[in-house]
Amino acid sequence: MATVEITVRGHVQGVGFRWALRAEAERLGVRGWVRNRRDGAVEARVSGAPAAVDALVAWAHTGPPLAHVERVEVTELPDAEDGEGFEIRESA
């Protein structure tokens, strides 16, 4: 299992980024959460098979069609239990 925190910067709010990321996470079979941040970024914590986590990180570099990703920051974390499924959380 791999667990990472992803912070995506650019024009990533108001373009369906959280919903698209959740759909991609569910397609890949990873668990975790995603939320908007007040600084304009989108933040996610993702746990799953290393190849699936890597695929979601790669997807985040592009995001949904209306997004304009400028930078993706990835921090590896100790394996964490993030529950079942993938949720959209309230902004932080």
Side-chain angles (χ1 to χ4, degrees), residues 20-73:
L21 190 139
R22 180 179 63 183
E24 187 68 9
E26 290 173 344
R27 186 185 75 76
L28 292 167
V30 298
R31 66 181 190 275
W33 52 264
V34 62
R35 65 184 174 192
N36 282 341
R37 290 189 358 185
R38 288 188 178 90
D39 67 1
V42 170
E43 177 180 46
R45 181 167 296 163
V46 182
S47 297
V53 170
D54 289 346
L56 188 62
V57 169
W59 177 91
H61 281 83
T62 303
L66 295 177
H68 177 74
V69 176
E70 294 176 2
R71 187 170 74 238
V72 178
E73 301 161 5

